[in-house]
Structure formats: structure tokens, C-alpha cells
Amino acid sequence: MRIAHLELRWVKLPLVTPFRTSFGTAHDRDTFLLRLVTDEGFEGWAECAAEPEPLYSEEFLAGAEMVLRDHLVPRLLALGDALSATRVPTALAPVKGHPMAKHVLETAVLDAELRAADMSFGRYLGAVVDRVPAGVSVGIMDTIDELVSHVSDYLAQGYRRIKLKIEPGWDLEPVRVVREKFGDDLLLQVDANTAYTLADAQHLARLDPFDLLLIEQPLAEDDLRGHAALAEVLRTPVCLDESITSARDAATAIALGACSVINVKPARVGGYLEARRIHDVAVANGVPVWCGGMLETGIGRAPNVALAALPGFVMPGDTSASDRYFTTDLTPPFVLDDGHLAVPTGPGLGVEVLTDVVEEMTTATHTIPLT
Ligand code: OSB
Ligand code: MG
């Protein structure tokens, strides 16, 4: 297989509710899609998970476009007819970092390859179930009342697990109120996106009585030792997101006692092949994993839902229904059925890309030169 055409589609979709985290507020899903066409006429689509600003991680959209065009795509083109998804990581390995840029390219190649082979992502990755329980990530709100009303809505829709974004000043109280209001059976967890330091250990220990499933990424992403020390103090299990960018990181973090749960986000780790390796490392160590998200459209969510169907994904993920994010999605909407999302079964991503909606949401199209 060989790349015959490659283009970046910049898209902007308004979010139904602004999404506030400890690092910023998003009003739109602002990103680019990669559309690849092979010499045999198969299409591959993928969505870049990076954000406009380097606040979640050091990657950002404009940088991802540049590294793709100038450093990653030329290395794939050098493979010529030998291009296949499993060769992508090695071909791109000389370029340090940039997992989200690598992820979007590898995913587009894998989508085209799977469409040509008439195989779904789920089948390829090793899905063992045909539906996955859906959780929802709830942003920081202006008031506790507003938070309670959102959580109440999500639970009425059937979400199986609630994740509250926290930061200093928005932690104990929202957790206490949500736990008291919705009861002990609610699966509840929190995500700090690196907003604390080890000096906050005693403060974070005050979350222990609320029986959270986990606390996600309380400390800086490069602070594995701090997370290990914190895990000694907390009864709440520590889960890592930002810190884990490879299967090696996962093995290291587990060995150090820095986490007892892992949020697997394919984009953060460079793609689905590495994401599956993290799953395998975690399963081998008895560590539960769940699938994270980056407010993806259906194009990015479809393969995440497929990944979440692997056997080690034993906790509900941040794979929510389309209407949690957008009024109109770029694929037929993902909908909750009894609190679950169906694993797509069609070839590749397994869902149709609604090209007229993509067209409508496109703000710019950049063709990547192939010479
Ligand atoms: O830390 O998991 C995170 C969104 C953007 C950046 C980081 C994170 C998130 C989410 C949203 O929590 C998850 C989703 O619903 O896609
Ligand atoms: Mg997170």
C-alpha cells in the first residue's frame, strides 16, 4: 500500500457545554482530521487529539501540522509500497516525542488498511465484547448547583460512571455534595490534570472517605516518584493519564508504585498499537485500565470505543455519547443504550464519515505535498 493523497481538514465544532479543567476552558472542539487515500483508492480517516494550545501536554495543533508535514510524512513516504500500520512506529521513531501527531498518522494508515482488509478496529485490536459501559467527564462549574444539575442529567441518561474535574478550591466540596446527593452506589472518580503537588497530600487524603474509584493525575506528569509517595498516603487509588506516554512508562510507573490504575488514551501514547501494548502490560501486572478521551468527534471516538472493548478495560471510560459533546457529530451519532455504546463493526473505524457535515465544519483544507 502506498499513499496517493493526504490532506488535513481543519474543523471547529461548538461544544454543547463549555468544558473547564484545571488547565483551561474549551468552548469548541477545534482540531484537524487527516484524510488519506491509498493508491488502491481506500480512504483512511483520523482525528488529531491535540488542542490549540499546549496546556494538556506539550503538543498543540499548529505544531502537530508542522511536524507531520516536515518530519513524519516524509518518513512514511520513504517506505514506498511497503507502507503498513505496523511499520509506522519504527519509521517514525527517529522523531522524538510528538505522540499525538504520530497517532493521527498511524490511525489514518490503519483505517485505510483495515478498510482494504474489510476488518473493523475492534476485530483487529482484539475486542471481546460488542458494547462498552460509558462514563462521562464533568467539567469544573461556576456553582455546585450547576454541577449537581449536570450530574443528575447525565445519570438520568444512563451514564455508568461520573468523573469530576477538580482543582484546588474545587475538590472536597463538589465531591462531598455529589456523593451525598447521588448515593454510595454511584461510581465516582476525579481528575486533577496535574493541579496539585506532593505538599497537598494531606488535603487530598480528605477525599478518602468518599470512596472514589480513583484520583487521576494529581501531580505533574514527570513526577512519578511524587505519585508513588502520594499513593502511600492515600486510600483512593492513584490513576495516571498525562504521565503515561508508552508501554515502558506504564511498566515503570507500575514498578514504582506510582499508579494502580491507568487511563489509556491512544493519542497520548502515539497510537492504537502502543495503546494495546499498555493494555497488555497492565493486564500482566493485574492493573485495571480504562479508555480516556480528548472530546473527540465520532471519527476519533469510534476507534476508542473499539479499544475499550479489550478484556483489560474493566472500568467505564470517558467514551461518552455524541450529544454529550456536540449537537451534530461527524459520524452517525454514538448513542447510549442502557448506559453502553456499541462497538462499531464496519470496516476500519466502523462508522461512516458524514462528509457533508465535515464539509460544513471545515475551516481550511491543507493538502500535504507527497514529494
Ligand atoms: O484529562 O482526561 C483528561 C479532555 C481534554 C483533555 C484532557 C482530558 C479530557 C477529558 C474529557 O477528561 C474526556 C472526554 O469525554 O473525551
Ligand atoms: Mg485526565
Side-chain angles (χ1 to χ4, degrees):
M1 152 176 159
R2 177 185 271 281
I3 300 177
H5 176 79
L6 191 57
E7 71 190 28
L8 253 86
R9 291 286 194 124
W10 284 81
V11 293
K12 191 179 179 111
L13 287 78
L15 291 171
V16 294
T17 358
F19 186 67
R20 178 169 157 207
T21 63
S22 62
F23 61 82
T25 305
H27 296 269
D28 305 282
R29 173 70 177 141
D30 220 337
T31 189
F32 62 77
L33 310 171
L34 214 54
R35 176 175 167 268
L36 175 154
V37 185
T38 70
D39 53 341
E40 288 165 340
F42 290 99
E43 272 193 336
W45 285 88
E47 174 175 342
C48 187
E51 298 185 324
E53 291 192 278
L55 304 179
Y56 164 76
S57 71
E58 57 217 332
E59 288 184 277
F60 61 104
L61 288 166
E65 168 161 24
M66 187 187 273
V67 80
L68 273 167
R69 188 192 59 212
D70 297 342
H71 304 289
L72 300 181
V73 171
R75 285 179 165 80
L76 275 204
L77 294 176
L79 292 174
D81 287 331
L83 175 64
S84 76
T86 55
R87 291 205 168 103
V88 171
T90 314
L92 303 184
V95 175
K96 301 287 199 286
H98 300 282
M100 290 184 179
K102 291 174 178 174
H103 155 270
V104 71
L105 193 52
E106 182 194 285
T107 305
V109 170
L110 184 53
D111 183 36
E113 193 169 311
L114 291 177
R115 285 178 202 239
D118 194 22
M119 187 189 286
S120 68
F121 261 76
R123 177 90 192 284
Y124 175 79
L125 293 171
V128 294
V129 289
D130 58 12
R131 60 176 210 161
V132 297
V136 58
S137 176
V138 186
I140 295 167
M141 309 264 162
D142 289 337
T143 65
I144 298 277
D145 282 354
E146 204 186 332
L147 177 71
V148 166
S149 132
H150 272 88
V151 170
S152 162
D153 247 31
Y154 290 135
L155 292 176
Q157 290 169 44
Y159 283 103
R160 295 300 172 103
R161 180 225 75 192
I162 297 290
K163 160 169 141 183
L164 301 182
K165 289 290 189 177
I166 58 167
E167 66 181 5
W170 183 268
D171 45 26
L172 303 178
E173 190 59 8
V175 168
R176 185 186 65 76
V177 172
V178 168
R179 175 55 86 209
E180 280 175 9
K181 196 108 194 152
F182 300 102
D184 290 344
D185 290 343
L186 171 67
L187 300 181
L188 182 63
Q189 63 192 54
V190 293
D191 186 0
N193 289 109
T194 76
Y196 297 89
T197 71
L198 193 52
D200 298 311
Q202 289 308 324
H203 175 73
L204 293 173
R206 294 171 64 197
L207 289 168
D208 281 347
F210 303 113
D211 282 315
L212 300 176
L213 290 169
L214 57 91
I215 177 168
E216 181 179 349
Q217 200 69 42
L219 313 180
E221 69 257 38
D222 59 355
D223 194 5
L224 287 183
R225 186 176 178 181
H227 281 100
L230 182 65
E232 293 276 344
V233 176
L234 302 188
R235 207 181 56 186
T236 306
V238 172
C239 171
L240 291 175
D241 172 354
E242 285 90 329
S243 292
I244 307 297
T245 64
S246 66
R248 182 185 288 136
D249 280 350
T252 304
I254 293 167
L256 290 176
C259 66
S260 53
V261 185
I262 295 175
N263 166 345
V264 182
K265 263 184 208 171
R268 192 194 65 223
V269 305
Y272 288 88
L273 302 176
E274 192 68 12
R276 185 170 55 184
R277 265 181 229 115
I278 294 177
H279 162 271
D280 295 348
V281 165
V283 169
N285 284 278
V287 165
V289 301
W290 54 279
C291 184
M294 294 292 291
L295 310 176
E296 288 94 343
T297 73
I299 293 173
R301 189 168 18 261
N304 283 351
V305 172
L307 182 74
L310 268 61
F313 285 78
V314 293
M315 301 173 78
D318 283 344
T319 42
S320 308
S322 294
D323 67 2
R324 181 260 172 269
Y325 310 97
F326 317 109
T327 44
T328 317
D329 206 340
L330 303 180
T331 60
F334 280 81
V335 291
L336 282 190
D337 179 6
D338 183 31
H340 290 68
L341 294 183
V343 177
T345 53
L349 299 179
V351 292
E352 190 194 342
V353 174
L354 301 175
T355 45
D356 48 336
V357 184
V358 170
E359 201 65 56
E360 194 183 314
M361 305 290 183
T362 296
T363 55
T365 302
H366 298 165
T367 300
I368 299 190
L370 297 182
T371 50

